[in-house]
């Protein structure tokens, strides 16, 4: 299934460098994807009829990496050829415009692929969100200037869509020993 394969590539490309939930991507409308220039981004703006977000903090902008930009642009172009409307879902089912195309199958295959690649039976698509958040926080804390006006923990929490920094530190930061030793 070529459509399913490309959908999986797009989801992985976005999640590899972004702190994003699968539900946020599943409910993503075309109008929230901006891939026309050099600084491409996705607006996570949960809507009532789809994924509403876990809190008001879920609304945010995710910048696309160079690698993700190409993959997302290719999918976006495909959707435009299919005459997608701005309010259509990015991963819409071509037969039923109110739902995603085989998203359950897609998520199951992605999880199986991640488990096979890592050898960890517990890893899932959501694990990518934890990994990206933890690595970004580790890098930021190792390079942090104690006199910086904005807390790097706060910045990471905002980018992850967390309402409180404690959520980021307690549930998503898995590499504290190196930072503690550094400081």
């Amino acid at each position: 299934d070529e459509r399913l394969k490309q959908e999986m590539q797009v989801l992985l490309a976005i999640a590899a460098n972004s702190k994003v939930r699968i539900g946020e991507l599943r409910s993503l409308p075309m109008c929230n994807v901006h891939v026309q220039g050099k600084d491409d981004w996705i607006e996570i703006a949960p809507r009532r009829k789809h994924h509403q977000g876990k809190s008001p903090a879920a609304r945010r902008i995710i910048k696309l990496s160079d690698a993700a930009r190409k993959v997302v642009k290719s999918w976006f172009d495909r959707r435009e050829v299919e005459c997608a409307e701005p309010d259509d879902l990015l991963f819409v089912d071509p037969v039923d415009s109110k739902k995603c195309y085989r998203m359950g199958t897609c998520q199951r295959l992605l999880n199986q692929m991640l488990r096979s690649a890592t050898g960890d039976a517990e890893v899932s698509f959501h694990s990518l969100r934890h990994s990206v958040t933890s690595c970004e926080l580790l890098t930021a804390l190792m390079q942090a200037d104690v006199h910086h006006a904005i807390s790097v923990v706060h910045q990471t929490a905002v980018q992850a869509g967390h309402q409180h920094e404690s959520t980021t530190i307690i549930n998503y930061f898995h590499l504290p020993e190196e930072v503690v030793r550094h400081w």
Side-chain angles (χ1 to χ4, degrees), residues 1-2 24 35 47 53 58 67 88 122 142-143 146 160:
D1 183 340
E2 188 58 38
E24 294 169 333
V35 287
R47 297 177 174 191
D88 285 351
E122 301 296 316
M142 293 295 283
Q143 300 170 353
V146 292

Side-chain angles (χ1 to χ4, degrees), residues 52-179:
Q52 294 183 11
K54 292 182 92 172
S55 74
R59 187 179 191 100
R60 63 200 188 279
I61 300 291
I62 294 174
K63 295 192 187 280
L64 294 174
S65 68
D66 290 335
R69 181 177 297 125
K70 292 176 186 175
V71 177
V72 173
K73 176 77 169 122
S74 174
W75 180 261
F76 194 83
D77 291 345
R78 174 184 183 148
R79 294 290 295 119
E80 285 184 330
V81 167
E82 295 172 346
C83 299
E85 297 290 326
D87 277 345
D88 285 351
L89 295 174
L90 183 64
F91 300 108
V92 75
D93 187 327
V95 177
D96 184 354
S97 65
K98 300 207 183 320
K99 63 182 202 176
C100 290
Y101 182 72
R102 301 185 66 192
M103 190 55 78
T105 301
C106 183
Q107 188 171 350
R108 181 177 50 78
L109 290 172
L110 284 170
N111 288 340
Q112 286 175 349
M113 189 173 64
L114 289 168
R115 289 174 185 145
S116 177
T118 63
D120 183 351
E122 301 296 316
V123 78
S124 68
F125 187 86
H126 190 76
S127 301
L128 296 173
R129 177 176 160 81
H130 280 258
S131 296
V132 170
T133 302
S134 193
C135 287
E136 281 186 14
L137 200 48
L138 173 65
T139 301
L141 289 171
M142 293 295 283
Q143 300 170 353
D145 179 358
V146 292
H147 304 295
H148 196 268
I150 300 172
S151 161
V152 294
V153 175
H154 178 75
Q155 284 178 316
T156 305
V158 167
Q159 293 166 354
H162 294 149
Q163 198 162 5
H164 303 288
E165 292 89 352
S166 60
T167 303
T168 308
I169 292 293
I170 294 168
N171 299 316
Y172 284 81
F173 188 44
H174 304 297
L175 307 165
E177 184 180 352
E178 192 172 344
V179 174

